[in-house]
Amino acid sequence: MDILLRATRADLPWVSVFCITPPMRYVLHLMYVFSVRFDPLGFRHAMTMAFAVEEINNSSQLLPNLTLGYSLHDNCATLGIGFSAAVSMASGHTEAFVPQENCTGYPPVLGIVGDPFSTVSIAISNVLGLFRLPIVSYFATCSCLSDRNQFPSFFEQFQVHAVIQILKHFDWTWVGLLVSDDDYGLHVARSFQTDFAQTGEGCLAYTEILPWGNDADTYSEIVGTIKGSSSKVVIVFAHQMHMIQLMTEVVKQNVTGLQWISSEAWTCVKGLHTTEFMPYLSGTLGIAIRRGEMPGFQNFLLRLNPAQNTEEKSMVKLIHTFWEHVFECRFAPTSAEWVEAGGALCTGQEDLQNIETEFLDLSNLRPEYNIYKAVYALAHALDDMLNCESGRGPFVGNSCATLHTMEPWHLLYYMEKVNFSTQFGDEVSFDETGDALPIYDVMNWQWLPNGETKVLNVGVFKKLASKEKSLHCMETKSCGIHMCSESCPAGTRMARQRGQPECCFDCILCSEGTISNSTDSTECKMCPEDFWSSPGRDQCVPKKTEFLSYHEPLGICLTTASLLGAFICFIVLGIFTYYRSTPLVRANNSEMSFLLLVSLKLCFLCSLLFIGRPRLWTCQLRHAAFGISFVLCVSCILVKTMVVLAVFKASKPGGGATLKWFGALQQRGTVFVLTSVQAVVCIVWLISASPTPHKNMKYHNDKIVHECAIGSTIGFTVLLSYIGFLALLSFMLAFLARNLPDNFNEAKLITFSMLIFCAVWVAFVPAYVNSPGKYADAVEVFAILSSSFGLLVALFGPKCYIILLRPERNTKKGIINRSSAM
């Protein structure tokens, strides 16, 4: 299992940790990077490890009665040397040392802290991981190291998620990515494709690989790509040398207006804070390893002296080198050239407090803080292992590891479980992939008017134990919103532009009946059946409803006409009742006239069933009431016509026997039988295929037409056909009787009324078929009212005129006299 804690430089020390020596002593090995030129910061990293070891040894709570030692190694910033050193330490083939009388020999290594390079860490983990040797790196950030199958003993935390959180915080979805040509950069590119682009967090406008070495042509092409892209956010996961070459070309091509996002590898690199680069890099946002505080560290560094630690040869040599670098002197014996050139000799009595050096600037302890936590993580794991209760251990047979039986994989088990907090208040633990819970500071580069550069801490990124991520940012200046295409407004959908990344799209208005109420929708959703899209296509609203209503002008007019007709029928019925004994009423078959008026009144009232929202009972009753009422009406007219013909025939010689078939009883029976036939038709229709309310959505997409489905077309056709048959028969008989003597000429009125009736209903059929929705009901109501008014006026208008206005004609003589004929 691997442990990863990261620093801010690539050429930094790394540590091999914990060899066991009898009886109660452990040794810590440190590997550092100085290369040929002495690096004061690298030395400070080594001293951080030494400080942590000393602090642990002085603690009465952590590893009491145990002493940790350490040894220093240089990887020279080279893969081969670093790998060889790690393998040598792991195999125990390092130089023997005698720190005290109780610790001798070649101590076995139980854990390694390092390497700062991702590539070296990968190489070491591939080999030492086979032996389950815990490896802790404080700076390697390749996400590939989180693969527990490939690197089972490596612990790591990486920064891709932190950068993605920054992008999400500012709503930057259209970015460019530059990475170094190594494992670190290539795996960052792969992680961005997986965690940023493919998950829909945003899109990469381009991904470019920064070469090693002085490849001016490639850098020129890369900057040209940046300049030509519509993305103004540039993320760079690379090293200082890459950034210097990149920015040189950026200055050369004068590419301004970019928002730079830096990885931790160059966020705190002061070598980029030049008057040449800062006009372009001002406003840069980046992440840096969490700055920490280590109380007592400054005093520890000030106590350094070439005379100390004489028993550790590597430490003595390292301190001597540091001393010569800081005070620009040489320890004797030295070369003759140095003496001849007037070089000073080191006495060891020089005072570190009297010089100004970056080594003693402890205001920005970042990689050192990671080294400090790495050493403590291993110490806590060892402490937990040695505090195991016999019989309750995690190994075979509930056994525990002991001082003399412990193996590296024993410590590996406890490393996975380690959980503690530093004096600075930061929690240290590892998740199931070996990633330490990351804590990053969000930094902002600000170029001041006086030419100075300030790198301010403007936020913190934390990954909590609950797997949640949090980013707390203070107000920072940024260069606006960066995206390939603006978010689509509600009511539109995203249509990806051909040949472009997913973040480049056009906004297409949703079609009618569909909506989109989110800004990232690629499809419009259909509205439910009874709903329709709003004008903005952003919500579904109930469809408008349409039916022949009592509240609309058309419905009001038809209702008024219906009630007016019924009222007129009532008035005429009253007149006929009042004047029932007069010759005119008695001569025109008064009983049938009364029944005809009642049936006409029903015809007028049945039209009200066609107005209003259709209900089941209105749908079932409207056509039945209409059909029976009109059959009753036409039956009365037919009987009246037949009586006229019978009376005429009876007036001829030998025709008296004819009237016995047309008495009052026979007339009532005929009307009843003819009406009963229609009643049977309606009953069969209602039972077999009853009309029901129906929501018709075929006429209008955005409107529901409430209507009555007739259920059976055959039933409706038979109903109308029967009425038509009786009306046609009445018309034919009345037409034949139109020229009878004047005292029987009511047939003329019947002929005229039936002509109106038939004309109305012949015109009704095509009008009804071609009228959509509520207008079909309106046409049927209009036909009912028109035919009813036609019958009422044609049959009873002249009679009421004589009864009310010409009463002198309402006598037996007047009726017989031709001049007073109706």
Side-chain angles (χ1 to χ4, degrees):
M1 179 172 56
D2 310 333
I3 306 174
L4 177 58
L5 297 171
R6 303 176 181 101
T8 58
R9 296 176 56 84
D11 54 343
L12 301 179
W14 55 282
V15 185
S16 68
V17 186
F18 302 134
C19 69
I20 178 171
T21 57
M24 299 290 285
R25 180 175 298 279
Y26 294 82
V27 178
L28 174 71
H29 293 274
L30 169 68
M31 296 193 67
Y32 56 92
V33 181
F34 288 159
S35 189
V36 177
R37 179 181 58 84
F38 183 82
D39 183 1
L41 295 183
F43 177 68
R44 189 170 70 187
H45 300 159
M47 293 302 98
T48 302
M49 184 275 306
F51 169 71
V53 170
E54 179 179 290
E55 196 173 67
I56 293 170
N57 288 339
N58 294 331
S59 173
S60 60
Q61 303 295 325
L62 185 62
L63 296 176
N65 300 321
L66 295 179
T67 301
L68 300 181
Y70 56 85
S71 178
L72 306 177
H73 302 266
D74 187 356
N75 71 2
C76 296
T78 305
L79 172 61
I81 296 177
F83 180 76
S84 299
V87 173
S88 297
M89 285 190 297
S91 62
H93 294 160
T94 56
E95 180 182 359
F97 59 92
V98 186
Q100 288 186 6
E101 66 278 2
N102 293 328
C103 185
T104 60
Y106 298 89
V109 177
L110 298 182
I112 294 177
V113 176
D115 186 285
F117 293 109
S118 293
T119 299
V120 179
S121 294
I122 291 171
I124 295 173
S125 296
N126 275 323
V127 176
L128 301 187
L130 299 175
F131 305 98
R132 296 298 191 268
L133 182 67
I135 304 173
V136 183
S137 176
Y138 54 89
F139 197 61
T141 56
C142 178
S143 59
C144 60
L145 293 168
S146 294
D147 187 344
R148 306 304 289 154
N149 294 322
Q150 187 176 1
F151 307 107
S153 62
F154 195 91
F155 290 82
E156 193 238 354
Q157 61 186 34
F158 53 91
Q159 53 187 316
V160 171
H161 291 164
V163 173
I164 292 176
Q165 290 297 315
I166 293 175
L167 298 177
K168 290 176 63 178
H169 177 80
F170 292 103
D171 198 24
W172 294 337
T173 60
W174 183 234
V175 302
L177 178 64
L178 306 180
V179 298
S180 57
D181 189 11
D182 52 18
D183 291 305
Y184 166 69
L186 297 179
H187 280 89
V188 163
R190 188 176 304 169
S191 296
F192 257 96
Q193 286 290 344
T194 302
D195 300 335
F196 184 64
Q198 295 182 8
T199 58
E201 300 287 354
C203 291
L204 295 176
Y206 53 84
T207 301
E208 297 291 340
I209 299 176
L210 302 176
W212 293 91
N214 298 318
D215 191 345
D217 293 338
T218 300
Y219 277 96
S220 178
E221 293 177 2
I222 292 174
V223 174
T225 300
I226 298 173
K227 188 175 182 179
S229 174
S230 60
S231 172
K232 300 303 178 183
V233 177
V234 184
I235 305 170
V236 185
F237 278 80
H239 307 284
Q240 179 178 354
M241 61 163 292
H242 296 104
M243 283 303 301
I244 291 175
Q245 295 186 70
L246 176 66
M247 292 311 301
T248 299
E249 188 64 32
V250 167
V251 173
K252 181 179 179 181
Q253 298 191 28
N254 193 28
V255 184
T256 60
L258 299 179
Q259 174 64 59
W260 295 90
I261 305 292
S262 66
S263 66
E264 60 185 357
W266 61 278
T267 294
C268 296
V269 173
K270 295 183 178 180
L272 296 172
H273 299 170
T274 65
T275 55
E276 180 185 12
F277 294 159
M278 281 309 297
Y280 300 87
L281 290 175
S282 180
T284 295
L285 285 172
I287 58 173
I289 296 174
R290 172 73 159 170
R291 185 190 68 82
E293 294 182 1
M294 296 176 287
F297 185 44
Q298 185 173 30
N299 292 332
F300 177 83
L301 296 179
L302 292 175
R303 293 200 313 267
L304 289 177
N305 190 281
Q308 73 182 61
N309 294 327
T310 55
E311 297 176 345
E312 173 52 59
K313 296 180 181 180
S314 61
M315 189 62 173
V316 171
K317 181 178 178 181
L318 187 57
I319 294 178
H320 278 209
T321 305
F322 162 71
W323 208 264
E324 291 177 346
H325 173 81
V326 171
F327 293 103
E328 298 180 353
C329 61
R330 293 290 183 271
F331 282 100
T334 186
S335 64
E337 292 81 2
W338 176 262
V339 176
E340 292 174 359
L345 294 178
C346 299
T347 65
Q349 303 301 317
E350 293 84 359
D351 192 352
L352 287 173
Q353 295 186 9
N354 295 331
I355 64 171
E356 292 185 5
T357 174
E358 187 179 10
F359 176 77
L360 294 176
D361 181 7
L362 306 184
S363 61
N364 200 30
L365 297 177
R366 297 183 185 278
E368 294 85 356
Y369 188 47
N370 264 2
I371 296 171
Y372 181 79
K373 291 190 291 184
V375 175
Y376 263 90
L378 289 165
H380 276 277
L382 181 60
D383 186 66
D384 292 341
M385 182 179 68
L386 297 180
N387 287 328
C388 174
E389 297 182 18
S390 180
R392 303 179 64 180
F395 306 118
V396 178
N398 295 327
S399 62
C400 297
T402 65
L403 291 175
H404 303 286
T405 62
M406 61 184 296
E407 297 290 343
W409 58 269
H410 289 146
L411 185 63
L412 178 65
Y413 172 83
Y414 287 98
M415 283 296 298
E416 293 178 335
K417 309 296 182 182
V418 73
N419 192 327
F420 66 95
S421 296
T422 67
Q423 298 181 52
F424 196 55
D426 292 330
E427 181 183 358
V428 179
S429 63
F430 302 94
D431 61 18
E432 65 277 1
T433 66
D435 294 338
L437 297 180
I439 306 177
Y440 290 105
D441 288 335
V442 181
M443 313 302 292
N444 180 227
W445 291 16
Q446 295 186 5
W447 193 37
L448 303 180
N450 60 4
E452 294 182 1
T453 299
K454 278 191 176 182
V455 180
L456 302 180
N457 188 337
V458 295
V460 176
F461 169 80
K462 291 184 179 181
K463 181 180 179 181
L464 307 178
S466 60
K467 298 185 179 181
E468 295 181 356
K469 303 180 183 70
S470 64
L471 176 66
H472 301 284
C473 280
M474 303 176 219
E475 184 177 355
T476 60
K477 294 181 180 179
S478 63
C479 55
I481 299 176
H482 304 285
M483 53 185 65
C484 180
S485 300
E486 294 288 340
S487 298
C488 288
T492 62
R493 63 177 178 86
M494 297 189 302
R496 183 174 174 180
Q497 297 175 359
R498 182 173 297 180
Q500 296 295 324
E502 291 184 0
C503 288
C504 299
F505 49 83
D506 297 317
C507 297
I508 307 298
L509 183 67
C510 291
S511 59
E512 291 186 343
T514 62
I515 65 163
S516 171
N517 48 22
S518 63
T519 59
D520 58 352
S521 177
T522 57
E523 293 183 359
C524 299
K525 298 183 295 184
M526 290 290 297
C527 288
E529 185 179 23
D530 291 348
F531 290 79
W532 194 248
S533 56
S534 63
R537 307 288 200 276
D538 56 350
Q539 60 179 332
C540 291
V541 295
K543 288 183 177 180
K544 297 178 181 178
T545 58
E546 179 181 277
F547 55 89
L548 189 57
S549 171
Y550 290 107
H551 305 290
E552 61 179 304
L554 181 59
I556 293 173
C557 291
L558 295 176
T559 301
T560 302
S562 176
L563 295 176
L564 179 62
F567 180 72
I568 294 175
C569 288
F570 179 78
I571 296 298
V572 173
L573 181 61
I575 294 173
F576 269 57
T577 302
Y578 185 77
Y579 294 98
R580 62 184 179 278
S581 59
T582 61
L584 181 61
V585 175
R586 295 180 63 186
N588 285 278
N589 197 342
S590 59
E591 185 175 349
M592 285 297 104
S593 295
F594 286 123
L595 189 57
L596 178 58
L597 284 170
V598 172
S599 64
L600 282 175
K601 187 175 183 179
L602 293 176
C603 289
F604 281 114
L605 294 177
C606 77
S607 64
L608 297 177
L609 296 173
F610 292 84
I611 305 174
R613 183 187 291 270
R615 309 291 182 186
L616 179 60
W617 68 273
T618 58
C619 289
Q620 292 175 336
L621 191 58
R622 61 167 58 172
H623 288 107
F626 152 71
I628 294 174
S629 298
F630 266 87
V631 166
L632 177 60
C633 176
V634 176
S635 297
C636 292
I637 295 174
L638 179 61
V639 168
K640 287 172 67 71
T641 306
M642 293 172 65
V643 169
V644 170
L645 291 173
V647 170
F648 172 72
K649 189 174 183 179
S651 64
K652 293 182 178 181
T658 305
L659 285 178
K660 68 178 182 179
W661 298 104
F662 291 94
L665 184 61
Q666 286 80 4
Q667 293 178 36
R668 299 189 197 108
T670 301
V671 171
F672 176 77
V673 171
L674 294 176
T675 305
S676 297
V677 173
Q678 184 74 304
V680 171
V681 172
C682 292
I683 292 172
V684 173
W685 181 14
L686 293 177
I687 293 176
S688 61
S690 174
T692 56
H694 172 64
K695 295 179 180 179
N696 194 325
M697 304 180 189
K698 297 180 180 178
Y699 299 134
H700 309 282
N701 291 328
D702 60 343
K703 190 181 296 183
I704 299 175
V705 177
H706 292 274
E707 60 185 14
C708 287
I710 60 176
S712 172
T713 304
I714 296 176
F716 186 51
T717 303
V718 171
L719 181 143
L720 291 178
S721 299
Y722 185 60
I723 297 174
F725 169 74
L726 295 180
L728 185 62
L729 182 61
S730 298
F731 172 74
M732 293 175 61
L733 293 177
F735 183 77
L736 292 175
R738 71 188 187 284
N739 293 322
L740 294 179
D742 293 341
N743 50 342
F744 301 114
N745 72 349
E746 189 182 16
K748 292 183 179 180
L749 301 179
I750 295 174
T751 301
F752 183 67
S753 66
M754 284 295 99
L755 183 61
I756 296 174
F757 184 87
C758 291
V760 169
W761 286 103
V762 168
F764 159 77
V765 175
Y768 180 83
V769 171
N770 292 288
S771 298
K774 68 178 181 180
Y775 298 103
D777 291 335
V779 167
E780 190 165 358
V781 172
F782 183 79
I784 293 172
L785 296 177
S786 298
S787 57
S788 299
F789 273 113
L791 294 176
L792 179 62
V793 173
L795 292 176
F796 295 97
K799 297 172 185 177
C800 290
Y801 172 75
I802 292 174
I803 293 172
L804 298 176
L805 301 179
R806 304 296 293 274
E808 68 277 6
R809 294 185 181 182
N810 191 8
T811 61
K812 186 175 181 180
K813 181 179 179 180
I815 294 174
I816 295 175
N817 194 315
R818 183 181 179 87
S819 62
S820 59
M822 292 181 291

